[in-house]
Amino acid sequence: MTWSEMQPLLSQACWDTLYMVGWSTLIAVVVGLPLGILLVLTDRGGLLHNAVLNKVIGQVVNIVRSMPFIILMVALMSFTRWIVGTTIGRDAAIVPLAVGAIPFFARLVETSVREVDGGLVEAVQSMGGNTWTVVRKVLVPESLPSLISATTTTVVAIIGYTAMAGTVGAGGLGDLAIRYGYQRFESQMMWIIVAILAVAIAVVQFAGDSGARVLHRRAGKGGEPFRFRKRAAFLPGGPVTATPGKTG
């Protein structure tokens, strides 16, 4: 197969992969972020401590995470057909991609949020801040560098998932690799797709790492007490008097 024959196929496959990764990442972040925060809030010692709810959410997350993605796609075919009306194509692939990525991202969010200094939470509560205020003013801003890294890891995982989704006719680079690189023995096409995926993952990883480093540097220059007082000015009760590093 010549380059002129491969080029339009690769262009469409790259666009399909970008489409699937973009929408799946968006859904995973929108659903996985509050889910991960809820796992922290409902855990023992959390602001919304609820052992039953935490156990149920945790078990659901663990079950979905434990399933190999290729099996998850097959298991969700009926659900996918109900959502988009078909099980073939890039739109259909978004459903299992998002379902597989949501618990993955939620666990990363949970780990990131747990790293936030408990003294900041106590300080906001001492000023009359409610749970929503704690989440919006402390948990999310303070864990933002880690959340950027978590999003980067999730995008990289979804790119790998899209390659597997090609085995069931989802489209994209994975589908092209199966149909031409494997079934038609076009080894040149296969290696080009491998190179494209490697470059895509490297670019995503570099962008995510750079963003996280920038946020860490800004945090280091501003200092935790300064950044906390700046946000606390918008809370009821005025500037905080508690020491942010104090954990009680």
Side-chain angles (χ1 to χ4, degrees):
M1 180 178 289
T2 63
W3 172 249
S4 60
E5 294 173 322
M6 288 189 292
Q7 195 273 334
L9 295 173
L10 288 169
S11 298
Q12 183 61 46
C14 287
W15 167 248
D16 289 344
T17 297
L18 181 63
Y19 179 87
M20 291 186 288
V21 171
W23 278 107
S24 301
T25 301
L26 178 62
I27 296 171
V29 171
V30 170
V31 180
L33 179 61
L35 190 62
I37 294 174
L38 189 61
L39 283 169
V40 176
L41 295 178
T42 58
D43 200 5
R44 181 180 302 176
L47 300 179
L48 300 175
H49 175 59
N50 188 319
V52 175
L53 180 60
N54 183 269
K55 182 70 70 174
V56 170
I57 296 175
Q59 288 300 321
V60 171
V61 168
N62 291 338
I63 290 172
V64 178
R65 284 189 62 196
S66 66
M67 295 183 65
F69 182 70
I70 191 70
I71 296 177
L72 182 65
M73 284 192 300
V74 176
L76 290 175
M77 279 186 173
S78 297
F79 179 69
T80 301
R81 187 180 291 108
W82 179 70
I83 293 292
V84 299
T86 181
T87 58
I88 303 297
R90 63 183 191 180
D91 290 327
I94 292 174
V95 176
L97 286 171
V99 171
I102 286 170
F104 180 82
F105 183 68
R107 282 301 187 189
L108 294 177
V109 171
E110 180 187 12
T111 301
S112 300
V113 173
R114 288 190 188 279
E115 295 175 354
V116 175
D117 188 354
L120 300 178
V121 175
E122 293 176 3
V124 172
Q125 288 180 302
S126 69
M127 292 185 295
N130 56 22
T131 301
W132 169 243
T133 303
V134 170
V135 171
R136 188 165 56 95
K137 295 293 185 179
V138 178
L139 297 183
V140 172
E142 292 295 328
S143 60
L144 193 56
S146 294
L147 292 177
I148 295 297
S149 297
T151 304
T152 302
T153 303
T154 303
V155 172
V156 171
I158 291 176
I159 291 175
Y161 290 165
T162 61
M164 286 187 283
T167 61
V168 292
L173 292 170
D175 176 62
L176 201 63
I178 292 296
R179 288 192 293 115
Y180 287 88
Y182 177 71
Q183 295 177 348
R184 302 187 185 183
F185 303 101
E186 293 284 353
S187 58
Q188 186 178 8
M189 174 73 84
M190 176 70 79
W191 286 112
I192 290 175
I193 292 172
V194 170
I196 292 174
L197 290 173
V199 170
I201 290 174
V203 170
V204 169
Q205 192 68 56
F206 175 79
D209 291 346
S210 298
R213 280 196 297 269
V214 168
L215 290 174
H216 274 300
R217 282 199 296 267
R218 288 181 179 178
K221 290 179 180 179
E224 186 174 71
F226 170 78
R227 292 184 292 114
F228 181 75
R229 287 196 297 269
K230 186 177 179 181
R231 284 195 291 274
F234 297 97
L235 296 173
V240 64
T241 57
T243 302
K246 184 179 179 181
T247 58

